[in-house]
């Protein structure tokens, strides 16, 4: 063995097809080369003793905002992918609310060039559903589809049922996802947090649940009519969970995601700070519990962060006037592990499924349900027992607004390996 770029992970707990295996893991030429029972006498590469740490397939986030091109003061492709690596993610899919919007090949290429030059993990962008995300003119789905994860106007819902149906008819033949931000704008009525207890007590304008689930209901119907693969973004209400569960029982091509913060918090946890403001909002205990159950029973397919960085100034104006959106890449795993697994609600294997396996399947990537010899070395090393206090000052992201700030979470990312190369290391 004379490969100086090889990596040896010793005393690892590796997720294999036969469960967790105590072994030593050799990585060479970007691949998992061997599981070694005995350590080599001499080894020219790097050795990492990861006693008590677990090694699983790296995570995939189907919904992030990396802000480039156009809004680099909020986040850049480089800083966003550094944050992704720090969170255990080796593939992320940025949403198209950038400038220029990726609604033509020329505009998409602006973004792809930045990705090529500065991303440290795999980045597969979404293109828009409509030109400029204005909900009116459809884009050329066939020309864009080879280069994108799917199509979304995230940040705004497509308000016209006629336009949405035509979009689904155009996207269906490509086989790509239509990732829908479901929000009936006429029902929002100036609201900016959930229309619940906190809003009433503190005299805030609330966003009702119907503004989400009514459009979910419409889009499920259109998906059934057109055969388009519908993926519903950042679900937050009990009614949405029920609608998706029903659609799946009917065998429709409907999938969905929720974010870690919707599983952890409810509207009674809100504080008068912009780090608790996002769209859709953190909702009631009933909604939170329905989301937890939906994740456990398979109704919810994936965890996606909706990582949405803003400048400190944009997030410092309280609940009413701060920009919508919080960061989430660097806390996602530990937030879900603490809320769902360490609490006993859900298995660790299910967490790996919703953060790694299922998103890969939906994006048409190799699913990697476990690690085996010969597989591409896209891995994350986890200390499941380590606890830490969330300090946004330590984030790689330019955005610092996190609802988890100051909280103690369990489960720490120790290293992220992408194509056999460490892209994050806190060992």
């Amino acid at each position: 063995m004379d490969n100086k770029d090889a990596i040896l992970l010793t005393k690892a707990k590796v997720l294999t097809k036969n469960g967790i295996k105590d072994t030593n893991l050799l990585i060479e030429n970007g691949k998992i080369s061997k599981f070694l029972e005995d350590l080599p006498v001499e080894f020219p590469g790097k050795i990492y003793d990861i006693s008590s740490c677990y090694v699983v397939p790296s995570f995939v986030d189907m919904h992030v905002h990396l802000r480039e091109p156009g809004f680099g003061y909020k986040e850049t492709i480089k800083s966003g992918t550094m944050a992704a690596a720090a969170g255990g993610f080796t593939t992320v899919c940025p949403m198209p609310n950038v400038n220029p919007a990726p609604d033509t090949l020329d505009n998409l290429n602006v973004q792809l060039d930045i990705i090529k030059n500065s991303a440290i993990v795999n980045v597969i962008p979404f293109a828009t559903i409509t030109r400029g995300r204005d909900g009116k003119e459809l884009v050329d789905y066939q020309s864009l589809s080879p280069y994108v994860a799917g199509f979304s106007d995230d940040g705004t819902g497509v308000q016209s049922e006629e336009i949405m149906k035509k979009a689904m008819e155009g996207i269906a033949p490509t086989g790509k996802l239509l990732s829908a931000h479901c929000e009936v704008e006429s029902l929002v009525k100036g609201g900016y947090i959930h229309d619940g207890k906190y809003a009433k007590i503190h005299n805030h304008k609330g966003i009702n649940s119907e503004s989400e689930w009514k459009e979910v209901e419409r889009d499920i119907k259109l998906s059934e009519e057109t055969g388009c693969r519908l993926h519903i973004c950042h679900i937050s209400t009990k009614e949405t969970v029920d609608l998706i569960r029903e659609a799946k029982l009917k065998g429709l091509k409907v999938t969905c995601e929720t974010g870690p913060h919707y599983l952890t918090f409810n509207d009674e946890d809100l504080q008068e700070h912009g780090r608790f403001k996002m769209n859709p909002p953190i909702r009631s205990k009933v909604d939170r519990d329905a989301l937890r159950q939906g994740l456990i029973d398979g109704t919810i397919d994936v965890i996606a962060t909706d990582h949405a960085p803003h400048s400190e100034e944009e997030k410092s104006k309280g609940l009413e006037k701060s920009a919508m959106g919080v960061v989430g890449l660097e806390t996602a795993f530990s937030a879900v592990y603490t809320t769902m697994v360490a609490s006993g609600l859900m298995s660790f294997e299910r967490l790996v499924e919703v953060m790694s396996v299922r998103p890969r399947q939906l994006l048409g990537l190799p699913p990697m349900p476990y690690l085996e010899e010969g597989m591409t070395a896209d891995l994350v090393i986890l200390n499941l027992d380590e606890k830490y206090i969330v300090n946004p000052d330590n984030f790689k992201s330019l955005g610092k607004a996190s609802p988890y700030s100051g909280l103690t979470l369990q489960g720490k990312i120790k290293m992220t390996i992408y194509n056999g190369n460490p892209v994050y290391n806190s060992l």
Side-chain angles (χ1 to χ4, degrees), residues 214-231:
K214 281 298 283 187
E215 198 155 290
V216 171
E217 185 177 55
R218 181 202 74 180
D219 288 352
I220 289 173
K221 175 179 73 77
L222 295 177
S223 172
E224 183 173 18
E225 292 173 4
T226 62
C228 183
R229 294 175 64 206
L230 173 64
H231 181 77

mmCIF file with all atom_site columns, all heavy atoms in Angstrom, residues 214-231:
data_model
loop_
_atom_site.group_PDB
_atom_site.id
_atom_site.type_symbol
_atom_site.label_atom_id
_atom_site.label_alt_id
_atom_site.label_comp_id
_atom_site.label_asym_id
_atom_site.label_entity_id
_atom_site.label_seq_id
_atom_site.pdbx_PDB_ins_code
_atom_site.Cartn_x
_atom_site.Cartn_y
_atom_site.Cartn_z
_atom_site.occupancy
_atom_site.B_iso_or_equiv
_atom_site.pdbx_formal_charge
_atom_site.auth_seq_id
_atom_site.auth_comp_id
_atom_site.auth_asym_id
_atom_site.auth_atom_id
_atom_site.pdbx_PDB_model_num
ATOM 1   N N   . LYS A 1 214 ? -54.575 24.626 1.433   1.00 0.00 ? 214 LYS A N   1
ATOM 2   C CA  . LYS A 1 214 ? -55.476 24.762 0.287   1.00 0.00 ? 214 LYS A CA  1
ATOM 3   C C   . LYS A 1 214 ? -54.728 24.620 -1.032  1.00 0.00 ? 214 LYS A C   1
ATOM 4   O O   . LYS A 1 214 ? -55.232 24.008 -1.983  1.00 0.00 ? 214 LYS A O   1
ATOM 5   C CB  . LYS A 1 214 ? -56.196 26.120 0.325   1.00 0.00 ? 214 LYS A CB  1
ATOM 6   C CG  . LYS A 1 214 ? -57.358 26.191 1.286   1.00 0.00 ? 214 LYS A CG  1
ATOM 7   C CD  . LYS A 1 214 ? -58.487 25.225 0.962   1.00 0.00 ? 214 LYS A CD  1
ATOM 8   C CE  . LYS A 1 214 ? -59.365 25.668 -0.177  1.00 0.00 ? 214 LYS A CE  1
ATOM 9   N NZ  . LYS A 1 214 ? -60.545 24.776 -0.350  1.00 0.00 ? 214 LYS A NZ  1
ATOM 10  N N   . GLU A 1 215 ? -53.507 25.175 -1.093  1.00 0.00 ? 215 GLU A N   1
ATOM 11  C CA  . GLU A 1 215 ? -52.734 25.027 -2.328  1.00 0.00 ? 215 GLU A CA  1
ATOM 12  C C   . GLU A 1 215 ? -52.123 23.629 -2.447  1.00 0.00 ? 215 GLU A C   1
ATOM 13  O O   . GLU A 1 215 ? -51.974 23.109 -3.550  1.00 0.00 ? 215 GLU A O   1
ATOM 14  C CB  . GLU A 1 215 ? -51.658 26.105 -2.430  1.00 0.00 ? 215 GLU A CB  1
ATOM 15  C CG  . GLU A 1 215 ? -51.139 26.256 -3.858  1.00 0.00 ? 215 GLU A CG  1
ATOM 16  C CD  . GLU A 1 215 ? -50.564 27.635 -4.136  1.00 0.00 ? 215 GLU A CD  1
ATOM 17  O OE1 . GLU A 1 215 ? -51.346 28.606 -4.190  1.00 0.00 ? 215 GLU A OE1 1
ATOM 18  O OE2 . GLU A 1 215 ? -49.336 27.719 -4.322  1.00 0.00 ? 215 GLU A OE2 1
ATOM 19  N N   . VAL A 1 216 ? -51.803 23.021 -1.338  1.00 0.00 ? 216 VAL A N   1
ATOM 20  C CA  . VAL A 1 216 ? -51.361 21.617 -1.356  1.00 0.00 ? 216 VAL A CA  1
ATOM 21  C C   . VAL A 1 216 ? -52.468 20.750 -1.950  1.00 0.00 ? 216 VAL A C   1
ATOM 22  O O   . VAL A 1 216 ? -52.224 19.897 -2.815  1.00 0.00 ? 216 VAL A O   1
ATOM 23  C CB  . VAL A 1 216 ? -51.001 21.128 0.064   1.00 0.00 ? 216 VAL A CB  1
ATOM 24  C CG1 . VAL A 1 216 ? -50.769 19.621 0.073   1.00 0.00 ? 216 VAL A CG1 1
ATOM 25  C CG2 . VAL A 1 216 ? -49.766 21.855 0.589   1.00 0.00 ? 216 VAL A CG2 1
ATOM 26  N N   . GLU A 1 217 ? -53.689 20.972 -1.488  1.00 0.00 ? 217 GLU A N   1
ATOM 27  C CA  . GLU A 1 217 ? -54.850 20.226 -1.981  1.00 0.00 ? 217 GLU A CA  1
ATOM 28  C C   . GLU A 1 217 ? -54.993 20.397 -3.493  1.00 0.00 ? 217 GLU A C   1
ATOM 29  O O   . GLU A 1 217 ? -55.183 19.421 -4.237  1.00 0.00 ? 217 GLU A O   1
ATOM 30  C CB  . GLU A 1 217 ? -56.093 20.723 -1.246  1.00 0.00 ? 217 GLU A CB  1
ATOM 31  C CG  . GLU A 1 217 ? -57.372 19.986 -1.550  1.00 0.00 ? 217 GLU A CG  1
ATOM 32  C CD  . GLU A 1 217 ? -58.520 20.525 -0.708  1.00 0.00 ? 217 GLU A CD  1
ATOM 33  O OE1 . GLU A 1 217 ? -58.768 21.763 -0.746  1.00 0.00 ? 217 GLU A OE1 1
ATOM 34  O OE2 . GLU A 1 217 ? -59.167 19.723 -0.005  1.00 0.00 ? 217 GLU A OE2 1
ATOM 35  N N   . ARG A 1 218 ? -54.874 21.639 -3.957  1.00 0.00 ? 218 ARG A N   1
ATOM 36  C CA  . ARG A 1 218 ? -54.979 21.918 -5.399  1.00 0.00 ? 218 ARG A CA  1
ATOM 37  C C   . ARG A 1 218 ? -53.882 21.213 -6.190  1.00 0.00 ? 218 ARG A C   1
ATOM 38  O O   . ARG A 1 218 ? -54.138 20.585 -7.229  1.00 0.00 ? 218 ARG A O   1
ATOM 39  C CB  . ARG A 1 218 ? -54.894 23.433 -5.638  1.00 0.00 ? 218 ARG A CB  1
ATOM 40  C CG  . ARG A 1 218 ? -55.016 23.852 -7.098  1.00 0.00 ? 218 ARG A CG  1
ATOM 41  C CD  . ARG A 1 218 ? -54.415 25.217 -7.359  1.00 0.00 ? 218 ARG A CD  1
ATOM 42  N NE  . ARG A 1 218 ? -52.949 25.199 -7.355  1.00 0.00 ? 218 ARG A NE  1
ATOM 43  C CZ  . ARG A 1 218 ? -52.184 26.272 -7.564  1.00 0.00 ? 218 ARG A CZ  1
ATOM 44  N NH1 . ARG A 1 218 ? -52.740 27.453 -7.762  1.00 0.00 ? 218 ARG A NH1 1
ATOM 45  N NH2 . ARG A 1 218 ? -50.874 26.159 -7.553  1.00 0.00 ? 218 ARG A NH2 1
ATOM 46  N N   . ASP A 1 219 ? -52.652 21.310 -5.700  1.00 0.00 ? 219 ASP A N   1
ATOM 47  C CA  . ASP A 1 219 ? -51.522 20.765 -6.460  1.00 0.00 ? 219 ASP A CA  1
ATOM 48  C C   . ASP A 1 219 ? -51.524 19.244 -6.489  1.00 0.00 ? 219 ASP A C   1
ATOM 49  O O   . ASP A 1 219 ? -51.093 18.630 -7.474  1.00 0.00 ? 219 ASP A O   1
ATOM 50  C CB  . ASP A 1 219 ? -50.212 21.302 -5.898  1.00 0.00 ? 219 ASP A CB  1
ATOM 51  C CG  . ASP A 1 219 ? -50.008 22.780 -6.231  1.00 0.00 ? 219 ASP A CG  1
ATOM 52  O OD1 . ASP A 1 219 ? -50.810 23.328 -7.012  1.00 0.00 ? 219 ASP A OD1 1
ATOM 53  O OD2 . ASP A 1 219 ? -49.042 23.375 -5.715  1.00 0.00 ? 219 ASP A OD2 1
ATOM 54  N N   . ILE A 1 220 ? -52.008 18.613 -5.424  1.00 0.00 ? 220 ILE A N   1
ATOM 55  C CA  . ILE A 1 220 ? -52.148 17.152 -5.443  1.00 0.00 ? 220 ILE A CA  1
ATOM 56  C C   . ILE A 1 220 ? -53.144 16.743 -6.523  1.00 0.00 ? 220 ILE A C   1
ATOM 57  O O   . ILE A 1 220 ? -52.918 15.794 -7.283  1.00 0.00 ? 220 ILE A O   1
ATOM 58  C CB  . ILE A 1 220 ? -52.574 16.627 -4.057  1.00 0.00 ? 220 ILE A CB  1
ATOM 59  C CG1 . ILE A 1 220 ? -51.415 16.755 -3.061  1.00 0.00 ? 220 ILE A CG1 1
ATOM 60  C CG2 . ILE A 1 220 ? -53.035 15.171 -4.159  1.00 0.00 ? 220 ILE A CG2 1
ATOM 61  C CD1 . ILE A 1 220 ? -51.793 16.417 -1.625  1.00 0.00 ? 220 ILE A CD1 1
ATOM 62  N N   . LYS A 1 221 ? -54.249 17.469 -6.610  1.00 0.00 ? 221 LYS A N   1
ATOM 63  C CA  . LYS A 1 221 ? -55.250 17.186 -7.651  1.00 0.00 ? 221 LYS A CA  1
ATOM 64  C C   . LYS A 1 221 ? -54.646 17.335 -9.046  1.00 0.00 ? 221 LYS A C   1
ATOM 65  O O   . LYS A 1 221 ? -54.850 16.486 -9.920  1.00 0.00 ? 221 LYS A O   1
ATOM 66  C CB  . LYS A 1 221 ? -56.438 18.133 -7.482  1.00 0.00 ? 221 LYS A CB  1
ATOM 67  C CG  . LYS A 1 221 ? -57.507 18.020 -8.571  1.00 0.00 ? 221 LYS A CG  1
ATOM 68  C CD  . LYS A 1 221 ? -58.660 18.973 -8.311  1.00 0.00 ? 221 LYS A CD  1
ATOM 69  C CE  . LYS A 1 221 ? -58.316 20.418 -8.580  1.00 0.00 ? 221 LYS A CE  1
ATOM 70  N NZ  . LYS A 1 221 ? -58.303 20.732 -10.037 1.00 0.00 ? 221 LYS A NZ  1
ATOM 71  N N   . LEU A 1 222 ? -53.871 18.395 -9.255  1.00 0.00 ? 222 LEU A N   1
ATOM 72  C CA  . LEU A 1 222 ? -53.252 18.621 -10.562 1.00 0.00 ? 222 LEU A CA  1
ATOM 73  C C   . LEU A 1 222 ? -52.197 17.558 -10.871 1.00 0.00 ? 222 LEU A C   1
ATOM 74  O O   . LEU A 1 222 ? -52.041 17.141 -12.021 1.00 0.00 ? 222 LEU A O   1
ATOM 75  C CB  . LEU A 1 222 ? -52.626 20.015 -10.608 1.00 0.00 ? 222 LEU A CB  1
ATOM 76  C CG  . LEU A 1 222 ? -53.595 21.197 -10.517 1.00 0.00 ? 222 LEU A CG  1
ATOM 77  C CD1 . LEU A 1 222 ? -52.829 22.514 -10.508 1.00 0.00 ? 222 LEU A CD1 1
ATOM 78  C CD2 . LEU A 1 222 ? -54.583 21.169 -11.690 1.00 0.00 ? 222 LEU A CD2 1
ATOM 79  N N   . SER A 1 223 ? -51.475 17.115 -9.856  1.00 0.00 ? 223 SER A N   1
ATOM 80  C CA  . SER A 1 223 ? -50.490 16.050 -10.056 1.00 0.00 ? 223 SER A CA  1
ATOM 81  C C   . SER A 1 223 ? -51.177 14.762 -10.503 1.00 0.00 ? 223 SER A C   1
ATOM 82  O O   . SER A 1 223 ? -50.689 14.058 -11.388 1.00 0.00 ? 223 SER A O   1
ATOM 83  C CB  . SER A 1 223 ? -49.714 15.810 -8.757  1.00 0.00 ? 223 SER A CB  1
ATOM 84  O OG  . SER A 1 223 ? -48.885 14.670 -8.874  1.00 0.00 ? 223 SER A OG  1
ATOM 85  N N   . GLU A 1 224 ? -52.321 14.474 -9.888  1.00 0.00 ? 224 GLU A N   1
ATOM 86  C CA  . GLU A 1 224 ? -53.074 13.278 -10.275 1.00 0.00 ? 224 GLU A CA  1
ATOM 87  C C   . GLU A 1 224 ? -53.551 13.378 -11.723 1.00 0.00 ? 224 GLU A C   1
ATOM 88  O O   . GLU A 1 224 ? -53.513 12.399 -12.479 1.00 0.00 ? 224 GLU A O   1
ATOM 89  C CB  . GLU A 1 224 ? -54.271 13.085 -9.336  1.00 0.00 ? 224 GLU A CB  1
ATOM 90  C CG  . GLU A 1 224 ? -55.068 11.829 -9.615  1.00 0.00 ? 224 GLU A CG  1
ATOM 91  C CD  . GLU A 1 224 ? -56.147 11.581 -8.572  1.00 0.00 ? 224 GLU A CD  1
ATOM 92  O OE1 . GLU A 1 224 ? -56.511 12.523 -7.831  1.00 0.00 ? 224 GLU A OE1 1
ATOM 93  O OE2 . GLU A 1 224 ? -56.633 10.431 -8.504  1.00 0.00 ? 224 GLU A OE2 1
ATOM 94  N N   . GLU A 1 225 ? -53.948 14.576 -12.136 1.00 0.00 ? 225 GLU A N   1
ATOM 95  C CA  . GLU A 1 225 ? -54.454 14.766 -13.495 1.00 0.00 ? 225 GLU A CA  1
ATOM 96  C C   . GLU A 1 225 ? -53.344 14.697 -14.546 1.00 0.00 ? 225 GLU A C   1
ATOM 97  O O   . GLU A 1 225 ? -53.575 14.256 -15.671 1.00 0.00 ? 225 GLU A O   1
ATOM 98  C CB  . GLU A 1 225 ? -55.162 16.124 -13.599 1.00 0.00 ? 225 GLU A CB  1
ATOM 99  C CG  . GLU A 1 225 ? -56.455 16.199 -12.809 1.00 0.00 ? 225 GLU A CG  1
ATOM 100 C CD  . GLU A 1 225 ? -57.046 17.604 -12.789 1.00 0.00 ? 225 GLU A CD  1
ATOM 101 O OE1 . GLU A 1 225 ? -56.485 18.501 -13.467 1.00 0.00 ? 225 GLU A OE1 1
ATOM 102 O OE2 . GLU A 1 225 ? -58.072 17.808 -12.105 1.00 0.00 ? 225 GLU A OE2 1
ATOM 103 N N   . THR A 1 226 ? -52.144 15.152 -14.187 1.00 0.00 ? 226 THR A N   1
ATOM 104 C CA  . THR A 1 226 ? -51.061 15.293 -15.179 1.00 0.00 ? 226 THR A CA  1
ATOM 105 C C   . THR A 1 226 ? -49.991 14.210 -15.102 1.00 0.00 ? 226 THR A C   1
ATOM 106 O O   . THR A 1 226 ? -49.214 14.046 -16.036 1.00 0.00 ? 226 THR A O   1
ATOM 107 C CB  . THR A 1 226 ? -50.363 16.651 -14.993 1.00 0.00 ? 226 THR A CB  1
ATOM 108 O OG1 . THR A 1 226 ? -49.773 16.698 -13.679 1.00 0.00 ? 226 THR A OG1 1
ATOM 109 C CG2 . THR A 1 226 ? -51.339 17.803 -15.161 1.00 0.00 ? 226 THR A CG2 1
ATOM 110 N N   . GLY A 1 227 ? -49.906 13.505 -13.969 1.00 0.00 ? 227 GLY A N   1
ATOM 111 C CA  . GLY A 1 227 ? -48.845 12.508 -13.792 1.00 0.00 ? 227 GLY A CA  1
ATOM 112 C C   . GLY A 1 227 ? -47.494 13.116 -13.448 1.00 0.00 ? 227 GLY A C   1
ATOM 113 O O   . GLY A 1 227 ? -46.465 12.430 -13.470 1.00 0.00 ? 227 GLY A O   1
ATOM 114 N N   . CYS A 1 228 ? -47.475 14.391 -13.127 1.00 0.00 ? 228 CYS A N   1
ATOM 115 C CA  . CYS A 1 228 ? -46.225 15.065 -12.776 1.00 0.00 ? 228 CYS A CA  1
ATOM 116 C C   . CYS A 1 228 ? -45.784 14.661 -11.368 1.00 0.00 ? 228 CYS A C   1
ATOM 117 O O   . CYS A 1 228 ? -46.620 14.516 -10.462 1.00 0.00 ? 228 CYS A O   1
ATOM 118 C CB  . CYS A 1 228 ? -46.428 16.578 -12.841 1.00 0.00 ? 228 CYS A CB  1
ATOM 119 S SG  . CYS A 1 228 ? -44.945 17.545 -12.503 1.00 0.00 ? 228 CYS A SG  1
ATOM 120 N N   . ARG A 1 229 ? -44.485 14.502 -11.193 1.00 0.00 ? 229 ARG A N   1
ATOM 121 C CA  . ARG A 1 229 ? -43.930 14.227 -9.865  1.00 0.00 ? 229 ARG A CA  1
ATOM 122 C C   . ARG A 1 229 ? -43.979 15.510 -9.030  1.00 0.00 ? 229 ARG A C   1
ATOM 123 O O   . ARG A 1 229 ? -43.279 16.472 -9.325  1.00 0.00 ? 229 ARG A O   1
ATOM 124 C CB  . ARG A 1 229 ? -42.485 13.739 -9.968  1.00 0.00 ? 229 ARG A CB  1
ATOM 125 C CG  . ARG A 1 229 ? -42.313 12.399 -10.652 1.00 0.00 ? 229 ARG A CG  1
ATOM 126 C CD  . ARG A 1 229 ? -40.826 12.082 -10.794 1.00 0.00 ? 229 ARG A CD  1
ATOM 127 N NE  . ARG A 1 229 ? -40.184 11.923 -9.488  1.00 0.00 ? 229 ARG A NE  1
ATOM 128 C CZ  . ARG A 1 229 ? -38.888 12.135 -9.266  1.00 0.00 ? 229 ARG A CZ  1
ATOM 129 N NH1 . ARG A 1 229 ? -38.097 12.571 -10.236 1.00 0.00 ? 229 ARG A NH1 1
ATOM 130 N NH2 . ARG A 1 229 ? -38.377 11.938 -8.069  1.00 0.00 ? 229 ARG A NH2 1
ATOM 131 N N   . LEU A 1 230 ? -44.803 15.502 -8.008  1.00 0.00 ? 230 LEU A N   1
ATOM 132 C CA  . LEU A 1 230 ? -44.991 16.674 -7.158  1.00 0.00 ? 230 LEU A CA  1
ATOM 133 C C   . LEU A 1 230 ? -44.275 16.477 -5.836  1.00 0.00 ? 230 LEU A C   1
ATOM 134 O O   . LEU A 1 230 ? -44.518 15.501 -5.126  1.00 0.00 ? 230 LEU A O   1
ATOM 135 C CB  . LEU A 1 230 ? -46.485 16.914 -6.908  1.00 0.00 ? 230 LEU A CB  1
ATOM 136 C CG  . LEU A 1 230 ? -46.845 18.009 -5.901  1.00 0.00 ? 230 LEU A CG  1
ATOM 137 C CD1 . LEU A 1 230 ? -46.400 19.378 -6.387  1.00 0.00 ? 230 LEU A CD1 1
ATOM 138 C CD2 . LEU A 1 230 ? -48.352 17.994 -5.612  1.00 0.00 ? 230 LEU A CD2 1
ATOM 139 N N   . HIS A 1 231 ? -43.387 17.414 -5.510  1.00 0.00 ? 231 HIS A N   1
ATOM 140 C CA  . HIS A 1 231 ? -42.708 17.411 -4.215  1.00 0.00 ? 231 HIS A CA  1
ATOM 141 C C   . HIS A 1 231 ? -43.093 18.693 -3.499  1.00 0.00 ? 231 HIS A C   1
ATOM 142 O O   . HIS A 1 231 ? -42.880 19.793 -4.023  1.00 0.00 ? 231 HIS A O   1
ATOM 143 C CB  . HIS A 1 231 ? -41.191 17.341 -4.403  1.00 0.00 ? 231 HIS A CB  1
ATOM 144 C CG  . HIS A 1 231 ? -40.442 17.302 -3.112  1.00 0.00 ? 231 HIS A CG  1
ATOM 145 N ND1 . HIS A 1 231 ? -40.341 16.161 -2.351  1.00 0.00 ? 231 HIS A ND1 1
ATOM 146 C CD2 . HIS A 1 231 ? -39.766 18.274 -2.441  1.00 0.00 ? 231 HIS A CD2 1
ATOM 147 C CE1 . HIS A 1 231 ? -39.621 16.428 -1.261  1.00 0.00 ? 231 HIS A CE1 1
ATOM 148 N NE2 . HIS A 1 231 ? -39.279 17.698 -1.294  1.00 0.00 ? 231 HIS A NE2 1
#
